[in-house]
């Protein structure tokens, strides 16, 4: 998923991620333009998946 796609769909994806992974907080999922790598890092830490696995998960949602 490209950064542009991620940015455009983020509010929808954020809600679905929070439903699937209850341990994720709004702070974990705070999207800031230019800080996508930090976002992936926070998600990786909480759910224990690689960046590639997270990309696949986001694409499937």
């Amino acid at each position: 998923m490209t950064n542009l796609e991620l940015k455009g769909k983020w509010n929808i994806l954020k809600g679905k991620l929070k439903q699937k992974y209850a341990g994720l907080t709004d702070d974990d999922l705070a999207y800031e333009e230019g800080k996508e790598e930090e976002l992936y890092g926070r998600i990786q830490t909480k759910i224990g998946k690689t960046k590639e696995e997270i990309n696949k998960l986001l694409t499937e949602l």
Side-chain angles (χ1 to χ4, degrees):
M1 178 171 286
T2 67
N3 288 343
L4 184 58
E5 290 173 322
L6 180 65
K7 182 180 176 184
K9 299 177 183 177
W10 185 243
N11 285 331
I12 295 167
L13 293 172
K14 180 169 67 169
K16 290 182 179 185
L17 281 171
K18 285 173 66 177
Q19 287 176 355
K20 188 167 183 162
Y21 299 99
L24 290 171
T25 65
D26 285 333
D27 288 338
D28 295 330
L29 300 173
Y31 178 87
E32 294 181 48
E33 194 165 341
K35 295 189 176 184
E36 292 83 6
E37 292 301 318
E38 287 181 31
L39 174 64
Y40 278 111
R42 290 191 303 264
I43 295 171
Q44 283 178 290
T45 300
K46 288 285 184 149
I47 66 173
K49 296 192 180 285
T50 66
K51 183 177 178 180
E52 292 77 22
E53 290 172 320
I54 293 169
N55 265 330
K56 183 178 178 188
L57 175 67
L58 292 175
T59 303
E60 291 172 353
L61 292 176

